[in-house]
Structure formats: structure tokens, C-alpha cells
């Protein structure tokens, strides 16, 4: 991890100097992860893609302000989560999210389809169970407030420490903990209840 | 002492902290020890672990929709754009078109001010030495006034809330 952040710093340095290929490397490394964060917060695929794009554009434009004592990803995720939360605030109410079942390609009536989100495994039964679970998790995450979703994603998917999450979201470590624990409790209840 | 810790189950918070590797030193040792001995807490801990893994998996499964090729296209265009014009219209003037669309009164006031200015530019030559002009334009609840004296060449612009008294709509007074 230490070496990764050193590599990132070098890439940032080159990108600052006008090396577009260096920025492309950073993009390739983090784009999917930023997408998961954005989608996780806004729950709408097209909006999430727009926000990923916006995040990288903002990041590029403000490379000059990046301070090397911070990790590049901390800074990137901060721009991403702020953009998403701002977006939701501006929009006030969320658009109808595309239910995961649709994105899964699993039509409720016809079942499986090509391009399913959950990659099929050798065991078809396991694939079905995983799909059902993914749909349930999707619905459960959907029920959380957006600022709780961001904490959950940064912890569960990105495996960041409480301290890093606090820095990214600009909140206290105590707030990270209370949001995370509340969210886990709610998610566990939802998943048990259905 | 051992009995005391044995009787005390881990709180939900402690289970979470243990799961996230956020317990340090003594607290970590105590929690680890408890988890090896207490079936109830171990059970809860494993449920939390499963939940955490399921969310992580759901997140990983999402990655395939990230569409890097098309996103990069947009980013690359913006990078090229940035090299050409460094500031967007919005960054330069601090106001965006959506704001004007959302607030027609503001947009109307700005247009009215531009029109009044244009009017003055054309009228300027006809003003006598000690004359002053006051122009006012109303729009919804806004009142725009332009005051100008030729000798000192001062232009004052008010963009204020219209007082309760009725001012006839678009009025141009020219003295
Ligand atoms: Zn216990």
C-alpha cells in the first residue's frame, strides 16, 4: 500500500507537468472504484457515470492543489463523494433509481439474461443465490440516507480505515463510527427481515 | 478478573471495531480472547463478517458497469478544453445559465440594465451640461434604477426590492 501511494505521487507529479498519459494511468487504476462509490451513493447508472467523469475532470483541474502528504485516492474519493452528495442535494429528491434487478439483466419474469451483473459461476445454484443476495443488498443500501451509504462503501468496498473515511468525508471519526454501525444494524435487519 | 470479562459480552460497537481492525492493544486482546470463548458473540461477529463480505461482493460486481472507455472520452475532451480556454464561462463570471433560468426576475433585470445602458450610450450626446437622468425599470418585485449626470459622469445602479408603492411597469423617465 505504501509503495502504491508512492507510485501515485509520481504519477500525479508527471500529470501536473502536463503528461496526459500519467493521468490516464491514474484514471485506469481508479475509475472503477470511483464508479462503485458514485453509483453506491446516487443509485442511478447514468448519473453515476456523469459523476465519475466530473470527478476526474475536477481532479485534473485541481492537480496543482494536491498536497503530497495526502494519499491520492483519499483526495480522489473526497472529490467523488462530495460531487455525489452535492448532486443529490441539488436535485433534492432522487430520480427513480434503476433497480438492481434490471441492471443485473435478470428480468423478474424471464429470469437470466446476458450481461448479468453477477458473473455466473460453475454452480448455477450459487449464482442464483448470489443474485438474490445482491438484489436484497441493493434494496437495503437504497434505504439508507446518502451520507450513510458513502461511509458503508468506503469501509466495506474500499476497506479504508475510520480515520481515512473521516478525512475523505470531512467528518469526525465518531460520526464515521455512528453512521457505519447504524447502517450495519439497519442492513442486517433488512436482510433478515426479507 | 477473568470471570468479569467472561460475563461481559462484547457490545455491538466493540464487535464492529473488532471487525474493522480498529481495536488496539488491550481492548483488542480482550475482545479476541472473548470471541474464542463466547459462542453468542462469535455468532454475532460472524454475521457481521458475512454482511461485510456480501456488501464488498456487491460492490465488486458493480465495477463491470464503470464503462471506462466512454468516461475517459469525456475526461480527455475536458483536458484538451482546459489547455485551450483555462476558465469556463461560469468560473469567469461566477453565475451560471441555470441560475438565470431558475430566476427569471434576475435574468430580466440584467437584460433591462443592458437595454437602459445602451439607451444611454445613444442619448449621451444630447444631454446638456447640468442635466441628470434617472431611469427605472421594474420587473416582478425588483426595481432597477440608473442615475446619471453628465458633468461628473457618474452612473449609479440600484438593484433593489421594489417598495410597496406601485411603480408603473416598464417605465423610462427621461428628463
Ligand atoms: Zn460474549
Amino acid at each position: 500500500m505504501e509503495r502504491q501511494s508512492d507510485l501515485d505521487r509520481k504519477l500525479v507529479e508527471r500529470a501536473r507537468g502536463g503528461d496526459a498519459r500519467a493521468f490516464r494511468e491514474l484514471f485506469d487504476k481508479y475509475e472503477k472504484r470511483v464508479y462503485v462509490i458514485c453509483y453506491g451513493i446516487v443509485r442511478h447508472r447514468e448519473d453515476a457515470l456523469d459523476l465519475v467523469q466530473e470527478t476526474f475532470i475536477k481532479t485534473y483541474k485541481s492537480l496543482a492543489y494536491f498536497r503530497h502528504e495526502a494519499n491520492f485516492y483519499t483526495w480522489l474519493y473526497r472529490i467523488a463523494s462530495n460531487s455525489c452528495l452535492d448532486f443529490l442535494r441539488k436535485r433534492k429528491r432522487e430520480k427513480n433509481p434503476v433497480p438492481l434487478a434490471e441492471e443485473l439483466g435478470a428480468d423478474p419474469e424471464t429470469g437470466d439474461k446476458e450481461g448479468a451483473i453477477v458473473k455466473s459461476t460453475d454452480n448455477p445454484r450459487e449464482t442464483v443465490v448470489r443474485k438474490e443476495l445482491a438484489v436484497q443488498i441493493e434494496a437495503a443500501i437504497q434505504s439508507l440516507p446518502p451520507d450513510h451509504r458513502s461511509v458503508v462503501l468506503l469501509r466495506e468496498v474500499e476497506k479504508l480505515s475510520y480515520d481515512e473515511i473521516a478525512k475523505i468525508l470531512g467528518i469526525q471519526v465518531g460520526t464515521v463510527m455512528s453512521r457505519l454501525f447504524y447502517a450495519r444494524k439497519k442492513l442486517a435487519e433488512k436482510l433478515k427481515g426479507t | 478478573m477473568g470471570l468479569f470479562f467472561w460475563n461481559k459480552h462484547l457490545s455491538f460497537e466493540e464487535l464492529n471495531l473488532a471487525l474493522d481492525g480498529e481495536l488496539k492493544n488491550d481492548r483488542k486482546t480482550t475482545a479476541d480472547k472473548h470471541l474464542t470463548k463466547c459462542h453468542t458473540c462469535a455468532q454475532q461477529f460472524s454475521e457481521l463478517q458475512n454482511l461485510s463480505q456480501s456488501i464488498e461482493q456487491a460492490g465488486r460486481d458493480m465495477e463491470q458497469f464503470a464503462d471506462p472507455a466512454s468516461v475517459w472520452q469525456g475526461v480527455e475532451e475536458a483536458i484538451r478544453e482546459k489547455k485551450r480556454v483555462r476558465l469556463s464561462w461560469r468560473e469567469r463570471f461566477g453565475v451560471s445559465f441555470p441560475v438565470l433560468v431558475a430566476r427569471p426576475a434576475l435574468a430580466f433585470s440584467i437584460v433591462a440594465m443592458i437595454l437602459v445602458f445602451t439607451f444611454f450610450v445613444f442619448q449621451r450626446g444630447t444631454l446638456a451640461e447640468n442635466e441628470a437622468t434617472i431611469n427605472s425599470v421594474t420587473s416582478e418585485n425588483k426595481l432597477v434604477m440608473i442615475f446619471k449626470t453628465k458633468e461628473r459622469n457618474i452612473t449609479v445602479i440600484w438593484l433593489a426590492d421594489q417598495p410597496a408603492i406601485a411603480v408603473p411597469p416598464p417605465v423610462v423617465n427621461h428628463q
Side-chain angles (χ1 to χ4, degrees), chain B residues 8-10 34 38 40-41:
Chain B
K8 202 167 165 253
H9 286 304
L10 296 178
H34 186 88
C38 175
T40 314
C41 288

Side-chain angles (χ1 to χ4, degrees), chain B residues 83-124:
Chain B
K83 281 178 179 161
R84 240 189 358 251
V85 257
R86 297 199 73 84
L87 287 174
S88 71
W89 193 81
R90 182 186 187 156
E91 283 166 324
R92 231 171 271 195
F93 298 104
V95 61
S96 65
F97 275 115
V99 169
L100 295 181
V101 171
R103 299 189 53 194
L106 180 63
F108 183 83
S109 303
I110 291 172
V111 171
M113 270 158 49
I114 292 167
L115 286 176
V116 170
F117 260 120
T118 316
F119 180 70
F120 264 111
V121 170
F122 283 106
Q123 289 295 309
R124 212 181 146 161

Side-chain angles (χ1 to χ4, degrees), chain A residues 27-45:
Chain A
F27 176 89
D28 287 341
K29 188 169 169 185
Y30 290 107
E31 196 264 346
K32 288 180 176 173
R33 293 158 78 173
V34 171
Y35 173 77
V36 172
I37 292 172
C38 291
Y39 180 80
I41 299 175
V42 302
R43 320 307 293 170
H44 186 278
R45 191 175 172 223

Side-chain angles (χ1 to χ4, degrees), chain A residues 31 100 117 156-157 162 184, chain B residues 16 20 22 52 60 64 66:
Chain A
E31 196 264 346
L100 187 72
I117 181 179
E156 306 292 30
V157 185
Y162 294 175
R184 279 182 178 153
Chain B
N16 276 279
D20 297 331
E22 298 274 350
S52 174
R60 297 268 163 261
Q64 62 182 304

Side-chain angles (χ1 to χ4, degrees), chain A residues 69-182:
Chain A
E69 57 267 33
N71 279 319
F72 176 73
Y73 65 80
T74 315
W75 190 57
L76 181 69
Y77 295 169
R78 183 178 189 137
I79 294 176
S81 51
N82 281 345
S83 301
C84 293
L85 294 173
D86 278 354
F87 171 81
L88 289 181
R89 238 173 265 135
K90 273 181 205 152
R91 199 176 53 174
K92 285 271 183 350
R93 58 184 185 79
E94 295 177 40
K95 266 187 218 166
N96 293 332
V98 180
L100 187 72
E102 239 170 76
E103 291 213 346
L104 283 168
D107 190 296
E109 282 159 45
T110 59
D112 275 11
K113 268 187 181 176
E114 278 185 329
I117 181 179
V118 175
K119 290 180 191 109
S120 299
T121 59
D122 291 339
N123 181 346
R125 198 181 145 70
E126 189 196 320
T127 307
V128 169
V129 171
R130 263 184 64 194
K131 267 185 193 176
E132 280 171 5
L133 186 63
V135 171
Q136 283 174 7
I137 286 174
E138 167 80 3
I141 291 178
Q142 177 74 41
S143 69
L144 295 172
D147 50 6
H148 285 59
R149 293 177 204 159
S150 54
V151 175
V152 170
L153 289 155
L154 291 171
R155 175 60 219 155
E156 306 292 30
V157 185
E158 289 303 317
K159 300 291 175 210
L160 301 183
S161 70
Y162 294 175
D163 199 44
E164 284 177 306
I165 298 171
K167 277 184 190 139
I168 288 170
L169 298 175
I171 53 178
Q172 302 287 321
V173 171
T175 312
V176 171
M177 287 162 61
S178 62
R179 284 183 189 170
L180 182 64
F181 303 166
Y182 171 84

Side-chain angles (χ1 to χ4, degrees), chain B residues 22 34 36 39 62 72 78 84 122 131 137 160:
Chain B
E22 298 274 350
H34 186 88
T36 58
H39 179 72
M62 283 296 156
W72 175 253
R84 240 189 358 251
F122 283 106
E131 275 179 337
V137 177

